[in-house]
Amino acid sequence: MRLRIDQIRVGRLNPNDPLPSARKMADLYAVASMTAQRPLRELQHRRITYSVAGKGTFVHPDAFDLLRGGVLREPIDDPDLRHRVAAYLTDQQAITIRYHHARTTDDKNAALHDLLRHADTTTTSSTK
């Protein structure tokens, strides 16, 4: 848990970056899966990470501010809005990953274009 917190503090892990699964961490640190799951639950409890069912655990957008003593945003009470935000962040993360894995300038530019279009589409639909 301390390692992940330090990685966020120094900027090696950024908002919405994925964390390894409990199974991967169990293999990496040679511990039981349940043992590896505890720090993931604790990080989520502290709002340093969030989970998306079927997708994984990610660094919370407030994590850096929280670790620097900043004020946290209030959690979203509306389940429909919470679902839409999670879907937006998942889509945004997929585009960002595509950008980072792009091998050509054209592929990087296409990913950036998609990211901007994704933000514009979401902004436009939320103002309606």
PDB file of all heavy atoms in Angstrom, residues 27-62:
ATOM      1  N   ASP A  27       1.025 -12.663  -6.871  1.00  0.00           N
ATOM      2  CA  ASP A  27       2.121 -13.344  -7.564  1.00  0.00           C
ATOM      3  C   ASP A  27       3.426 -12.569  -7.425  1.00  0.00           C
ATOM      4  O   ASP A  27       4.479 -13.144  -7.162  1.00  0.00           O
ATOM      5  CB  ASP A  27       1.793 -13.541  -9.047  1.00  0.00           C
ATOM      6  CG  ASP A  27       0.670 -14.536  -9.280  1.00  0.00           C
ATOM      7  OD1 ASP A  27       0.354 -15.311  -8.348  1.00  0.00           O
ATOM      8  OD2 ASP A  27       0.101 -14.521 -10.391  1.00  0.00           O
ATOM      9  N   LEU A  28       3.343 -11.255  -7.596  1.00  0.00           N
ATOM     10  CA  LEU A  28       4.533 -10.394  -7.544  1.00  0.00           C
ATOM     11  C   LEU A  28       5.199 -10.423  -6.172  1.00  0.00           C
ATOM     12  O   LEU A  28       6.424 -10.506  -6.070  1.00  0.00           O
ATOM     13  CB  LEU A  28       4.134  -8.958  -7.909  1.00  0.00           C
ATOM     14  CG  LEU A  28       5.244  -7.914  -7.927  1.00  0.00           C
ATOM     15  CD1 LEU A  28       6.251  -8.222  -9.037  1.00  0.00           C
ATOM     16  CD2 LEU A  28       4.653  -6.536  -8.134  1.00  0.00           C
ATOM     17  N   TYR A  29       4.398 -10.375  -5.108  1.00  0.00           N
ATOM     18  CA  TYR A  29       4.942 -10.311  -3.749  1.00  0.00           C
ATOM     19  C   TYR A  29       4.925 -11.660  -3.034  1.00  0.00           C
ATOM     20  O   TYR A  29       5.260 -11.731  -1.855  1.00  0.00           O
ATOM     21  CB  TYR A  29       4.179  -9.271  -2.935  1.00  0.00           C
ATOM     22  CG  TYR A  29       4.323  -7.887  -3.506  1.00  0.00           C
ATOM     23  CD1 TYR A  29       3.233  -7.230  -4.084  1.00  0.00           C
ATOM     24  CD2 TYR A  29       5.542  -7.233  -3.494  1.00  0.00           C
ATOM     25  CE1 TYR A  29       3.365  -5.961  -4.622  1.00  0.00           C
ATOM     26  CE2 TYR A  29       5.684  -5.962  -4.035  1.00  0.00           C
ATOM     27  CZ  TYR A  29       4.597  -5.338  -4.600  1.00  0.00           C
ATOM     28  OH  TYR A  29       4.733  -4.083  -5.135  1.00  0.00           O
ATOM     29  N   ALA A  30       4.531 -12.713  -3.732  1.00  0.00           N
ATOM     30  CA  ALA A  30       4.500 -14.073  -3.182  1.00  0.00           C
ATOM     31  C   ALA A  30       3.685 -14.143  -1.893  1.00  0.00           C
ATOM     32  O   ALA A  30       4.151 -14.645  -0.867  1.00  0.00           O
ATOM     33  CB  ALA A  30       5.919 -14.596  -2.969  1.00  0.00           C
ATOM     34  N   VAL A  31       2.465 -13.611  -1.961  1.00  0.00           N
ATOM     35  CA  VAL A  31       1.539 -13.673  -0.828  1.00  0.00           C
ATOM     36  C   VAL A  31       0.205 -14.234  -1.331  1.00  0.00           C
ATOM     37  O   VAL A  31      -0.016 -14.357  -2.527  1.00  0.00           O
ATOM     38  CB  VAL A  31       1.312 -12.289  -0.168  1.00  0.00           C
ATOM     39  CG1 VAL A  31       2.604 -11.745   0.416  1.00  0.00           C
ATOM     40  CG2 VAL A  31       0.717 -11.297  -1.159  1.00  0.00           C
ATOM     41  N   ALA A  32      -0.674 -14.555  -0.391  1.00  0.00           N
ATOM     42  CA  ALA A  32      -1.997 -15.045  -0.763  1.00  0.00           C
ATOM     43  C   ALA A  32      -2.802 -13.925  -1.417  1.00  0.00           C
ATOM     44  O   ALA A  32      -2.603 -12.744  -1.123  1.00  0.00           O
ATOM     45  CB  ALA A  32      -2.722 -15.557   0.478  1.00  0.00           C
ATOM     46  N   SER A  33      -3.721 -14.303  -2.285  1.00  0.00           N
ATOM     47  CA  SER A  33      -4.552 -13.325  -2.981  1.00  0.00           C
ATOM     48  C   SER A  33      -5.353 -12.455  -2.010  1.00  0.00           C
ATOM     49  O   SER A  33      -5.490 -11.253  -2.204  1.00  0.00           O
ATOM     50  CB  SER A  33      -5.495 -14.047  -3.947  1.00  0.00           C
ATOM     51  OG  SER A  33      -6.250 -13.132  -4.680  1.00  0.00           O
ATOM     52  N   MET A  34      -5.878 -13.076  -0.964  1.00  0.00           N
ATOM     53  CA  MET A  34      -6.636 -12.319   0.047  1.00  0.00           C
ATOM     54  C   MET A  34      -5.742 -11.300   0.759  1.00  0.00           C
ATOM     55  O   MET A  34      -6.176 -10.208   1.093  1.00  0.00           O
ATOM     56  CB  MET A  34      -7.280 -13.264   1.069  1.00  0.00           C
ATOM     57  CG  MET A  34      -8.391 -14.116   0.481  1.00  0.00           C
ATOM     58  SD  MET A  34      -9.746 -13.136  -0.191  1.00  0.00           S
ATOM     59  CE  MET A  34     -10.473 -12.547   1.315  1.00  0.00           C
ATOM     60  N   THR A  35      -4.484 -11.650   0.965  1.00  0.00           N
ATOM     61  CA  THR A  35      -3.531 -10.732   1.597  1.00  0.00           C
ATOM     62  C   THR A  35      -3.277  -9.539   0.681  1.00  0.00           C
ATOM     63  O   THR A  35      -3.217  -8.399   1.141  1.00  0.00           O
ATOM     64  CB  THR A  35      -2.205 -11.456   1.916  1.00  0.00           C
ATOM     65  OG1 THR A  35      -2.485 -12.563   2.763  1.00  0.00           O
ATOM     66  CG2 THR A  35      -1.212 -10.527   2.573  1.00  0.00           C
ATOM     67  N   ALA A  36      -3.160  -9.789  -0.604  1.00  0.00           N
ATOM     68  CA  ALA A  36      -2.931  -8.708  -1.569  1.00  0.00           C
ATOM     69  C   ALA A  36      -4.177  -7.848  -1.744  1.00  0.00           C
ATOM     70  O   ALA A  36      -4.078  -6.679  -2.102  1.00  0.00           O
ATOM     71  CB  ALA A  36      -2.508  -9.294  -2.909  1.00  0.00           C
ATOM     72  N   GLN A  37      -5.340  -8.419  -1.477  1.00  0.00           N
ATOM     73  CA  GLN A  37      -6.592  -7.685  -1.642  1.00  0.00           C
ATOM     74  C   GLN A  37      -6.794  -6.639  -0.543  1.00  0.00           C
ATOM     75  O   GLN A  37      -7.419  -5.611  -0.775  1.00  0.00           O
ATOM     76  CB  GLN A  37      -7.756  -8.667  -1.634  1.00  0.00           C
ATOM     77  CG  GLN A  37      -8.824  -8.339  -2.604  1.00  0.00           C
ATOM     78  CD  GLN A  37      -9.778  -9.504  -2.770  1.00  0.00           C
ATOM     79  OE1 GLN A  37      -9.919 -10.346  -1.892  1.00  0.00           O
ATOM     80  NE2 GLN A  37     -10.440  -9.533  -3.903  1.00  0.00           N
ATOM     81  N   ARG A  38      -6.265  -6.905   0.642  1.00  0.00           N
ATOM     82  CA  ARG A  38      -6.444  -5.982   1.766  1.00  0.00           C
ATOM     83  C   ARG A  38      -5.966  -4.566   1.468  1.00  0.00           C
ATOM     84  O   ARG A  38      -6.700  -3.610   1.693  1.00  0.00           O
ATOM     85  CB  ARG A  38      -5.768  -6.531   3.019  1.00  0.00           C
ATOM     86  CG  ARG A  38      -6.706  -7.406   3.803  1.00  0.00           C
ATOM     87  CD  ARG A  38      -6.076  -7.803   5.134  1.00  0.00           C
ATOM     88  NE  ARG A  38      -5.919  -9.246   5.073  1.00  0.00           N
ATOM     89  CZ  ARG A  38      -4.894  -9.937   5.488  1.00  0.00           C
ATOM     90  NH1 ARG A  38      -3.877  -9.336   6.059  1.00  0.00           N
ATOM     91  NH2 ARG A  38      -4.856 -11.236   5.375  1.00  0.00           N
ATOM     92  N   PRO A  39      -4.727  -4.382   0.966  1.00  0.00           N
ATOM     93  CA  PRO A  39      -4.298  -3.007   0.679  1.00  0.00           C
ATOM     94  C   PRO A  39      -5.148  -2.345  -0.410  1.00  0.00           C
ATOM     95  O   PRO A  39      -5.394  -1.135  -0.355  1.00  0.00           O
ATOM     96  CB  PRO A  39      -2.845  -3.132   0.244  1.00  0.00           C
ATOM     97  CG  PRO A  39      -2.519  -4.564   0.252  1.00  0.00           C
ATOM     98  CD  PRO A  39      -3.666  -5.331   0.775  1.00  0.00           C
ATOM     99  N   LEU A  40      -5.619  -3.124  -1.382  1.00  0.00           N
ATOM    100  CA  LEU A  40      -6.483  -2.544  -2.418  1.00  0.00           C
ATOM    101  C   LEU A  40      -7.785  -2.022  -1.808  1.00  0.00           C
ATOM    102  O   LEU A  40      -8.254  -0.935  -2.157  1.00  0.00           O
ATOM    103  CB  LEU A  40      -6.788  -3.572  -3.514  1.00  0.00           C
ATOM    104  CG  LEU A  40      -5.648  -3.897  -4.473  1.00  0.00           C
ATOM    105  CD1 LEU A  40      -6.048  -5.015  -5.422  1.00  0.00           C
ATOM    106  CD2 LEU A  40      -5.212  -2.664  -5.235  1.00  0.00           C
ATOM    107  N   ARG A  41      -8.363  -2.797  -0.898  1.00  0.00           N
ATOM    108  CA  ARG A  41      -9.594  -2.348  -0.222  1.00  0.00           C
ATOM    109  C   ARG A  41      -9.319  -1.116   0.632  1.00  0.00           C
ATOM    110  O   ARG A  41     -10.125  -0.187   0.671  1.00  0.00           O
ATOM    111  CB  ARG A  41     -10.160  -3.475   0.641  1.00  0.00           C
ATOM    112  CG  ARG A  41     -10.944  -4.496  -0.126  1.00  0.00           C
ATOM    113  CD  ARG A  41     -11.784  -5.386   0.778  1.00  0.00           C
ATOM    114  NE  ARG A  41     -11.039  -5.962   1.884  1.00  0.00           N
ATOM    115  CZ  ARG A  41     -10.486  -7.166   1.889  1.00  0.00           C
ATOM    116  NH1 ARG A  41     -10.606  -7.943   0.833  1.00  0.00           N
ATOM    117  NH2 ARG A  41      -9.838  -7.609   2.937  1.00  0.00           N
ATOM    118  N   GLU A  42      -8.179  -1.102   1.323  1.00  0.00           N
ATOM    119  CA  GLU A  42      -7.834   0.040   2.171  1.00  0.00           C
ATOM    120  C   GLU A  42      -7.618   1.299   1.333  1.00  0.00           C
ATOM    121  O   GLU A  42      -8.079   2.378   1.695  1.00  0.00           O
ATOM    122  CB  GLU A  42      -6.574  -0.271   2.995  1.00  0.00           C
ATOM    123  CG  GLU A  42      -6.138   0.852   3.898  1.00  0.00           C
ATOM    124  CD  GLU A  42      -7.143   1.208   4.999  1.00  0.00           C
ATOM    125  OE1 GLU A  42      -7.964   0.360   5.375  1.00  0.00           O
ATOM    126  OE2 GLU A  42      -7.093   2.373   5.468  1.00  0.00           O
ATOM    127  N   LEU A  43      -6.954   1.170   0.200  1.00  0.00           N
ATOM    128  CA  LEU A  43      -6.760   2.320  -0.688  1.00  0.00           C
ATOM    129  C   LEU A  43      -8.102   2.849  -1.192  1.00  0.00           C
ATOM    130  O   LEU A  43      -8.309   4.058  -1.286  1.00  0.00           O
ATOM    131  CB  LEU A  43      -5.857   1.947  -1.868  1.00  0.00           C
ATOM    132  CG  LEU A  43      -4.386   1.730  -1.539  1.00  0.00           C
ATOM    133  CD1 LEU A  43      -3.657   1.128  -2.743  1.00  0.00           C
ATOM    134  CD2 LEU A  43      -3.726   3.028  -1.108  1.00  0.00           C
ATOM    135  N   GLN A  44      -9.006   1.939  -1.504  1.00  0.00           N
ATOM    136  CA  GLN A  44     -10.327   2.357  -1.970  1.00  0.00           C
ATOM    137  C   GLN A  44     -11.103   3.010  -0.829  1.00  0.00           C
ATOM    138  O   GLN A  44     -11.772   4.023  -1.031  1.00  0.00           O
ATOM    139  CB  GLN A  44     -11.093   1.169  -2.532  1.00  0.00           C
ATOM    140  CG  GLN A  44     -12.362   1.586  -3.228  1.00  0.00           C
ATOM    141  CD  GLN A  44     -12.987   0.436  -3.989  1.00  0.00           C
ATOM    142  OE1 GLN A  44     -12.393  -0.629  -4.168  1.00  0.00           O
ATOM    143  NE2 GLN A  44     -14.194   0.650  -4.461  1.00  0.00           N
ATOM    144  N   HIS A  45     -11.001   2.452   0.356  1.00  0.00           N
ATOM    145  CA  HIS A  45     -11.675   3.026   1.527  1.00  0.00           C
ATOM    146  C   HIS A  45     -11.183   4.454   1.791  1.00  0.00           C
ATOM    147  O   HIS A  45     -11.962   5.324   2.168  1.00  0.00           O
ATOM    148  CB  HIS A  45     -11.444   2.140   2.748  1.00  0.00           C
ATOM    149  CG  HIS A  45     -12.042   2.675   3.998  1.00  0.00           C
ATOM    150  ND1 HIS A  45     -13.403   2.659   4.248  1.00  0.00           N
ATOM    151  CD2 HIS A  45     -11.465   3.260   5.078  1.00  0.00           C
ATOM    152  CE1 HIS A  45     -13.631   3.220   5.420  1.00  0.00           C
ATOM    153  NE2 HIS A  45     -12.479   3.584   5.938  1.00  0.00           N
ATOM    154  N   ARG A  46      -9.912   4.699   1.538  1.00  0.00           N
ATOM    155  CA  ARG A  46      -9.332   6.035   1.746  1.00  0.00           C
ATOM    156  C   ARG A  46      -9.573   6.966   0.555  1.00  0.00           C
ATOM    157  O   ARG A  46      -9.107   8.096   0.556  1.00  0.00           O
ATOM    158  CB  ARG A  46      -7.831   5.927   1.976  1.00  0.00           C
ATOM    159  CG  ARG A  46      -7.449   5.259   3.249  1.00  0.00           C
ATOM    160  CD  ARG A  46      -5.960   5.241   3.363  1.00  0.00           C
ATOM    161  NE  ARG A  46      -5.492   4.615   4.565  1.00  0.00           N
ATOM    162  CZ  ARG A  46      -4.242   4.676   4.983  1.00  0.00           C
ATOM    163  NH1 ARG A  46      -3.345   5.339   4.288  1.00  0.00           N
ATOM    164  NH2 ARG A  46      -3.887   4.075   6.089  1.00  0.00           N
ATOM    165  N   ARG A  47     -10.256   6.473  -0.471  1.00  0.00           N
ATOM    166  CA  ARG A  47     -10.546   7.221  -1.703  1.00  0.00           C
ATOM    167  C   ARG A  47      -9.286   7.568  -2.474  1.00  0.00           C
ATOM    168  O   ARG A  47      -9.218   8.564  -3.181  1.00  0.00           O
ATOM    169  CB  ARG A  47     -11.380   8.466  -1.429  1.00  0.00           C
ATOM    170  CG  ARG A  47     -12.804   8.110  -1.088  1.00  0.00           C
ATOM    171  CD  ARG A  47     -13.699   9.288  -0.928  1.00  0.00           C
ATOM    172  NE  ARG A  47     -13.829  10.030  -2.175  1.00  0.00           N
ATOM    173  CZ  ARG A  47     -14.317  11.245  -2.235  1.00  0.00           C
ATOM    174  NH1 ARG A  47     -14.729  11.862  -1.152  1.00  0.00           N
ATOM    175  NH2 ARG A  47     -14.417  11.870  -3.382  1.00  0.00           N
ATOM    176  N   ILE A  48      -8.276   6.725  -2.356  1.00  0.00           N
ATOM    177  CA  ILE A  48      -7.064   6.893  -3.144  1.00  0.00           C
ATOM    178  C   ILE A  48      -7.229   6.147  -4.466  1.00  0.00           C
ATOM    179  O   ILE A  48      -6.623   6.497  -5.469  1.00  0.00           O
ATOM    180  CB  ILE A  48      -5.836   6.405  -2.346  1.00  0.00           C
ATOM    181  CG1 ILE A  48      -5.640   7.325  -1.130  1.00  0.00           C
ATOM    182  CG2 ILE A  48      -4.582   6.364  -3.199  1.00  0.00           C
ATOM    183  CD1 ILE A  48      -4.626   6.852  -0.133  1.00  0.00           C
ATOM    184  N   THR A  49      -8.088   5.124  -4.456  1.00  0.00           N
ATOM    185  CA  THR A  49      -8.401   4.389  -5.679  1.00  0.00           C
ATOM    186  C   THR A  49      -9.911   4.208  -5.791  1.00  0.00           C
ATOM    187  O   THR A  49     -10.650   4.468  -4.841  1.00  0.00           O
ATOM    188  CB  THR A  49      -7.752   2.980  -5.671  1.00  0.00           C
ATOM    189  OG1 THR A  49      -8.311   2.211  -4.612  1.00  0.00           O
ATOM    190  CG2 THR A  49      -6.249   3.055  -5.536  1.00  0.00           C
ATOM    191  N   TYR A  50     -10.346   3.777  -6.959  1.00  0.00           N
ATOM    192  CA  TYR A  50     -11.740   3.399  -7.168  1.00  0.00           C
ATOM    193  C   TYR A  50     -11.743   2.169  -8.059  1.00  0.00           C
ATOM    194  O   TYR A  50     -10.772   1.898  -8.767  1.00  0.00           O
ATOM    195  CB  TYR A  50     -12.553   4.535  -7.795  1.00  0.00           C
ATOM    196  CG  TYR A  50     -12.164   4.875  -9.211  1.00  0.00           C
ATOM    197  CD1 TYR A  50     -12.844   4.323 -10.293  1.00  0.00           C
ATOM    198  CD2 TYR A  50     -11.127   5.766  -9.475  1.00  0.00           C
ATOM    199  CE1 TYR A  50     -12.488   4.635 -11.598  1.00  0.00           C
ATOM    200  CE2 TYR A  50     -10.763   6.084 -10.769  1.00  0.00           C
ATOM    201  CZ  TYR A  50     -11.448   5.516 -11.824  1.00  0.00           C
ATOM    202  OH  TYR A  50     -11.101   5.814 -13.111  1.00  0.00           O
ATOM    203  N   SER A  51     -12.812   1.398  -7.987  1.00  0.00           N
ATOM    204  CA  SER A  51     -12.931   0.179  -8.788  1.00  0.00           C
ATOM    205  C   SER A  51     -14.088   0.305  -9.766  1.00  0.00           C
ATOM    206  O   SER A  51     -15.100   0.928  -9.455  1.00  0.00           O
ATOM    207  CB  SER A  51     -13.179  -1.031  -7.889  1.00  0.00           C
ATOM    208  OG  SER A  51     -12.058  -1.269  -7.089  1.00  0.00           O
ATOM    209  N   VAL A  52     -13.904  -0.290 -10.917  1.00  0.00           N
ATOM    210  CA  VAL A  52     -14.962  -0.410 -11.915  1.00  0.00           C
ATOM    211  C   VAL A  52     -15.155  -1.909 -12.129  1.00  0.00           C
ATOM    212  O   VAL A  52     -14.204  -2.607 -12.508  1.00  0.00           O
ATOM    213  CB  VAL A  52     -14.590   0.293 -13.240  1.00  0.00           C
ATOM    214  CG1 VAL A  52     -15.675   0.083 -14.276  1.00  0.00           C
ATOM    215  CG2 VAL A  52     -14.317   1.768 -13.015  1.00  0.00           C
ATOM    216  N   ALA A  53     -16.355  -2.384 -11.859  1.00  0.00           N
ATOM    217  CA  ALA A  53     -16.638  -3.822 -11.958  1.00  0.00           C
ATOM    218  C   ALA A  53     -16.237  -4.361 -13.322  1.00  0.00           C
ATOM    219  O   ALA A  53     -16.605  -3.801 -14.355  1.00  0.00           O
ATOM    220  CB  ALA A  53     -18.113  -4.086 -11.694  1.00  0.00           C
ATOM    221  N   GLY A  54     -15.469  -5.405 -13.319  1.00  0.00           N
ATOM    222  CA  GLY A  54     -15.041  -6.043 -14.551  1.00  0.00           C
ATOM    223  C   GLY A  54     -13.885  -5.360 -15.256  1.00  0.00           C
ATOM    224  O   GLY A  54     -13.375  -5.862 -16.251  1.00  0.00           O
ATOM    225  N   LYS A  55     -13.471  -4.192 -14.758  1.00  0.00           N
ATOM    226  CA  LYS A  55     -12.389  -3.441 -15.412  1.00  0.00           C
ATOM    227  C   LYS A  55     -11.133  -3.371 -14.550  1.00  0.00           C
ATOM    228  O   LYS A  55     -10.034  -3.395 -15.050  1.00  0.00           O
ATOM    229  CB  LYS A  55     -12.841  -2.002 -15.741  1.00  0.00           C
ATOM    230  CG  LYS A  55     -14.011  -1.931 -16.673  1.00  0.00           C
ATOM    231  CD  LYS A  55     -13.628  -2.404 -18.057  1.00  0.00           C
ATOM    232  CE  LYS A  55     -14.815  -2.254 -18.985  1.00  0.00           C
ATOM    233  NZ  LYS A  55     -14.532  -2.714 -20.320  1.00  0.00           N
ATOM    234  N   GLY A  56     -11.308  -3.218 -13.232  1.00  0.00           N
ATOM    235  CA  GLY A  56     -10.139  -3.163 -12.367  1.00  0.00           C
ATOM    236  C   GLY A  56     -10.192  -2.020 -11.375  1.00  0.00           C
ATOM    237  O   GLY A  56     -11.229  -1.385 -11.173  1.00  0.00           O
ATOM    238  N   THR A  57      -9.041  -1.752 -10.785  1.00  0.00           N
ATOM    239  CA  THR A  57      -8.886  -0.692  -9.794  1.00  0.00           C
ATOM    240  C   THR A  57      -8.004   0.389 -10.386  1.00  0.00           C
ATOM    241  O   THR A  57      -6.989   0.081 -11.027  1.00  0.00           O
ATOM    242  CB  THR A  57      -8.249  -1.264  -8.503  1.00  0.00           C
ATOM    243  OG1 THR A  57      -9.100  -2.297  -8.009  1.00  0.00           O
ATOM    244  CG2 THR A  57      -8.085  -0.200  -7.446  1.00  0.00           C
ATOM    245  N   PHE A  58      -8.392   1.646 -10.157  1.00  0.00           N
ATOM    246  CA  PHE A  58      -7.704   2.776 -10.768  1.00  0.00           C
ATOM    247  C   PHE A  58      -7.407   3.843  -9.718  1.00  0.00           C
ATOM    248  O   PHE A  58      -8.080   3.917  -8.693  1.00  0.00           O
ATOM    249  CB  PHE A  58      -8.586   3.389 -11.868  1.00  0.00           C
ATOM    250  CG  PHE A  58      -8.976   2.403 -12.924  1.00  0.00           C
ATOM    251  CD1 PHE A  58     -10.125   1.645 -12.784  1.00  0.00           C
ATOM    252  CD2 PHE A  58      -8.178   2.208 -14.033  1.00  0.00           C
ATOM    253  CE1 PHE A  58     -10.490   0.714 -13.745  1.00  0.00           C
ATOM    254  CE2 PHE A  58      -8.531   1.277 -15.000  1.00  0.00           C
ATOM    255  CZ  PHE A  58      -9.695   0.526 -14.860  1.00  0.00           C
ATOM    256  N   VAL A  59      -6.414   4.673 -10.005  1.00  0.00           N
ATOM    257  CA  VAL A  59      -6.080   5.785  -9.113  1.00  0.00           C
ATOM    258  C   VAL A  59      -7.227   6.795  -9.167  1.00  0.00           C
ATOM    259  O   VAL A  59      -7.655   7.210 -10.243  1.00  0.00           O
ATOM    260  CB  VAL A  59      -4.753   6.453  -9.531  1.00  0.00           C
ATOM    261  CG1 VAL A  59      -4.454   7.670  -8.660  1.00  0.00           C
ATOM    262  CG2 VAL A  59      -3.608   5.450  -9.465  1.00  0.00           C
ATOM    263  N   HIS A  60      -7.708   7.184  -8.007  1.00  0.00           N
ATOM    264  CA  HIS A  60      -8.823   8.136  -7.902  1.00  0.00           C
ATOM    265  C   HIS A  60      -8.359   9.525  -8.354  1.00  0.00           C
ATOM    266  O   HIS A  60      -7.223   9.920  -8.081  1.00  0.00           O
ATOM    267  CB  HIS A  60      -9.303   8.187  -6.449  1.00  0.00           C
ATOM    268  CG  HIS A  60     -10.631   8.834  -6.281  1.00  0.00           C
ATOM    269  ND1 HIS A  60     -10.821  10.185  -6.373  1.00  0.00           N
ATOM    270  CD2 HIS A  60     -11.851   8.297  -6.035  1.00  0.00           C
ATOM    271  CE1 HIS A  60     -12.086  10.464  -6.179  1.00  0.00           C
ATOM    272  NE2 HIS A  60     -12.737   9.330  -5.975  1.00  0.00           N
ATOM    273  N   PRO A  61      -9.214  10.283  -9.056  1.00  0.00           N
ATOM    274  CA  PRO A  61      -8.842  11.637  -9.473  1.00  0.00           C
ATOM    275  C   PRO A  61      -8.463  12.552  -8.297  1.00  0.00           C
ATOM    276  O   PRO A  61      -7.698  13.491  -8.478  1.00  0.00           O
ATOM    277  CB  PRO A  61     -10.106  12.159 -10.181  1.00  0.00           C
ATOM    278  CG  PRO A  61     -10.768  10.925 -10.678  1.00  0.00           C
ATOM    279  CD  PRO A  61     -10.499   9.874  -9.630  1.00  0.00           C
ATOM    280  N   ASP A  62      -8.969  12.283  -7.098  1.00  0.00           N
ATOM    281  CA  ASP A  62      -8.647  13.102  -5.928  1.00  0.00           C
ATOM    282  C   ASP A  62      -7.411  12.635  -5.176  1.00  0.00           C
ATOM    283  O   ASP A  62      -7.008  13.266  -4.200  1.00  0.00           O
ATOM    284  CB  ASP A  62      -9.820  13.087  -4.937  1.00  0.00           C
ATOM    285  CG  ASP A  62     -11.015  13.873  -5.425  1.00  0.00           C
ATOM    286  OD1 ASP A  62     -10.828  14.780  -6.258  1.00  0.00           O
ATOM    287  OD2 ASP A  62     -12.126  13.582  -4.969  1.00  0.00           O
TER     288      ASP A  62
END
